[in-house]
Amino acid sequence: MSKVLIAPATLSDVGGPYLEALRGAGLEVVFSPFPAQMVEEELLPTLNGITASLAGSEPYTRRVLDANPQLRVIARAGVGYDAVDLAAAAEHGIAVTITPGTNQDAVAEHTFTLMLALVKNLITQHAGTVAGRWPRQANLPLRGRALGIAGLGRIGKAVAVRGAAFGMTLLAYEPYPDAAFVRQYRVTLVPLERLLAESDFLSLHLPLTAESKHLINRATLARMKPTAFLINTARGGLVCEADLYEALRTGRLAGAGLDVFEQEPPGASPLFGLDNVVVTPHAAGVDLQSRDDMALSAAQAIVSLLRGDWPTEKVVNPEVRAKFRC
């Protein structure tokens, strides 16, 4: 019987349709023994004997894949796959899949959670109130402000819909835009330089690639308004954290809301000592509904692949099809 690892800690001992799909296909389910996201040294032995992994953001490095040649499928419960060494996966004939259309609304809601926490001074007002003070103040609005969206894919679109509801002006940088959506929501498409210069809130929704790594750095931060806020619910590597820290510390940027980091977990970061930063632990894409939807979609991809079907819309490395063994 083939074994499937359920790697995300958020699915630890959680039942539901995804488990029914896996067990109904005759697969043995094994949960991660660790209470948090696995690091490389934990993932290495956990994959021993595993045929398919229903994966979170744990690192599927070349070292991990070389040590587990029996692995056939890595099915990400999410849409990012930068934690997987695709070149190594291709060499081993491992199919890598994602779950498109399952978590964009969760990420968009979380994006506005961070945005509102910053402009309404939620953290400091809460702390002051429970400490016995009454720190009332006039806070910033969202309405009428320019929301810049870097990447107008599924998640960027979901953010734009909510920005329109808040009465924000919508700007977007997107090389391959959906023209109908842009017209419907009155999005102004702009080059990246203009997006940086004109956004009151810059929200990142781009994949992490060699080209996009450290897209936000000292030079690009210098083009932004000093009154602007940066929101990152995409990938930590899009931002050079050292440069962001300096911009925030010196007042070059008003604030930042971060759900993702260059290293995860980030450990002790100087960003955590700043009052104009709000952080969460790479949780934007996972609410109860999206968790279940992503898990089911990933489970269905595993079942399809192991029975010899090819879920084209989910596979991100189609070149492995010729050498894939179910």
Side-chain angles (χ1 to χ4, degrees), residues 77-299:
V79 294
Y81 50 90
D82 52 283
V84 181
D85 186 325
L86 286 185
E91 290 174 19
H92 286 282
I94 300 170
V96 180
T97 67
I98 59 173
T99 57
T102 55
N103 73 344
Q104 66 270 12
D105 292 320
V107 178
E109 290 176 8
H110 199 93
T111 296
F112 275 88
T113 298
L114 293 173
M115 205 180 299
L116 287 164
L118 286 164
V119 300
K120 303 304 180 185
N121 287 297
L122 180 66
I123 306 300
T124 55
Q125 289 201 87
H126 169 82
T129 302
V130 299
R133 300 187 297 276
W134 197 239
R136 298 181 69 193
Q137 63 183 90
N139 296 306
L140 295 171
L142 293 185
R143 60 192 181 279
R145 278 12 185 210
L147 172 58
I149 303 169
L152 201 61
R154 288 186 181 89
I155 296 173
K157 288 179 182 178
V159 170
V161 169
R162 287 156 179 80
F166 273 102
M168 304 181 81
T169 300
L170 302 180
L171 308 175
Y173 165 72
E174 171 54 55
Y176 307 101
D178 179 338
F181 180 90
V182 167
R183 287 193 301 272
Q184 180 180 356
Y185 288 95
R186 299 179 180 178
V187 179
T188 300
L189 295 173
V190 297
L192 182 61
E193 292 75 14
R194 184 176 164 191
L195 191 78
L196 293 165
E198 297 185 12
S199 297
D200 295 305
F201 299 88
L202 177 59
S203 191
L204 305 181
H205 302 289
L206 295 165
L208 179 61
T209 64
E211 292 74 27
S212 66
K213 183 175 175 60
H214 286 180
L215 175 73
I216 303 302
N217 54 49
R218 181 177 286 107
T220 51
L221 287 163
R223 294 179 184 143
M224 295 177 66
K225 300 176 182 179
T227 54
F229 295 86
L230 175 71
I231 309 295
N232 189 9
T233 54
R235 285 295 182 268
L238 295 172
V239 178
C240 176
E241 291 177 6
D243 291 352
L244 176 61
Y245 171 77
E246 283 303 312
L248 292 165
R249 184 186 66 82
T250 60
R252 184 65 197 76
L253 196 69
L258 307 173
D259 182 57
V260 288
F261 303 88
E262 291 188 81
Q263 175 183 311
E264 294 184 352
S269 168
L271 288 164
F272 299 164
L274 299 176
D275 292 336
N276 54 349
V277 175
V278 175
V279 298
T280 50
H282 201 152
V286 186
D287 60 24
L288 293 177
Q289 181 174 332
S290 68
R291 178 199 67 187
D292 294 346
D293 291 345
M294 288 187 293
L296 178 58
S297 180

Side-chain angles (χ1 to χ4, degrees), residues 61-85:
T61 62
R62 177 173 293 276
R63 180 179 174 222
V64 167
L65 300 186
D66 287 348
N68 290 281
Q70 82 292 338
L71 191 64
R72 304 268 46 87
V73 181
I74 300 170
R76 274 279 294 120
V79 294
Y81 50 90
D82 52 283
V84 181
D85 186 325

